[in-house]
Amino acid sequence: MSLYRSRVVALGCAVAAVGWALSWVGAATGVTPSVLPAPQVKVGKAETDLCPTAAVAKALADQGVTLGARSPAVMAYVGGRPCVRLPITRGQFALDISAGSVPADGGVTFTKSTGRTLSFTELVFDFGTRKTVGRATIEGPRAGGARQQPVELFTLDFQLDKTKVDLVNGTAEGAAALGLSPGGDNALKDAFGTSPLPAQGTVFDATAGGDVTQVAQALSLALLS
């Protein structure tokens, strides 16, 4: 096959693949996609902020519980609220947010004025089940250092109108509301006797953004080869 014909074939394949991928962009904003399977995008370097609602912030303060971050996560002020910023360096998800699994580094801590701390670590955001699973560890006076098996800690309710995947620049951003799951509620009660977080409704407003690797970058390399 001649070099010219090879480039024509590559260009044809690239155009077809771009059309296939772009047909799914509308899915991120709630538009019904085609019957083709959604393209997968891989997370490169990203972060997500978990910000307590006003009601949750008040409940934590009333019960003498301080929200904190387990390294490499850090505390950050977002819109005037103290939030836990979790770094994300791996994982992948479907362009229509229908599937995928994205783990976060570090964790979320809740520390009582008595010195006892509950940590939620090894968090994994599961796009298919709309759940966040992780480990709950109690530390401090008479805690025993017990570490629970992975449990469902939060529910995920994605806000599709705030979801954007830029196939050209390789970036993504999104938002979701996190509610407390029975596993998280039980862990808080085990640590503090009562849970400072509401069992119903939104606990954290979550926003995420960062770099992703997707179809567009692979197509660019194919055209230049």
Side-chain angles (χ1 to χ4, degrees), residues 55-202:
V56 166
K58 183 179 185 306
L60 290 172
D62 289 346
Q63 296 196 34
V65 177
T66 302
L67 179 68
R70 177 76 70 187
S71 181
V74 297
M75 295 299 295
Y77 276 86
V78 181
R81 289 188 288 176
C83 308
V84 180
R85 178 164 292 171
L86 298 160
I88 298 175
T89 56
R90 58 199 188 281
Q92 64 181 27
F93 60 92
L95 191 58
D96 66 347
I97 320 298
S98 66
S101 179
V102 177
D105 298 324
V108 180
T109 64
F110 303 90
T111 302
K112 189 84 170 178
S113 54
T114 58
R116 178 168 289 195
T117 296
L118 172 66
S119 299
F120 289 165
T121 57
E122 300 179 32
L123 300 176
V124 178
F125 301 99
D126 192 304
F127 287 33
T129 63
R130 299 295 202 261
K131 297 176 180 178
T132 303
V133 299
R135 292 184 183 273
T137 307
I138 301 173
E139 303 168 294
R142 296 182 300 278
R147 190 172 192 176
Q148 298 181 8
Q149 294 297 316
V151 295
E152 179 187 339
L153 299 173
F154 301 106
T155 59
L156 277 172
D157 184 11
F158 288 107
Q159 299 168 352
L160 295 181
D161 60 325
K162 297 181 181 179
T163 299
K164 180 180 178 182
V165 180
D166 188 332
L167 294 175
V168 175
N169 295 312
T171 60
E173 59 186 42
L178 271 63
L180 190 64
S181 291
D185 185 56
N186 290 336
L188 286 162
K189 290 176 180 177
D190 289 344
F192 307 128
T194 60
S195 173
L197 304 184
Q200 302 293 329
T202 300

Side-chain angles (χ1 to χ4, degrees), residues 11-84:
L11 178 61
C13 292
V15 170
V18 167
W20 171 64
L22 292 180
S23 69
W24 280 94
V25 175
T29 56
V31 177
T32 302
S34 66
V35 296
L36 294 174
Q40 295 283 317
V41 291
K42 292 185 177 181
V43 177
K45 183 179 181 181
E47 59 189 24
T48 183
D49 293 330
L50 305 186
C51 301
T53 65
V56 166
K58 183 179 185 306
L60 290 172
D62 289 346
Q63 296 196 34
V65 177
T66 302
L67 179 68
R70 177 76 70 187
S71 181
V74 297
M75 295 299 295
Y77 276 86
V78 181
R81 289 188 288 176
C83 308
V84 180

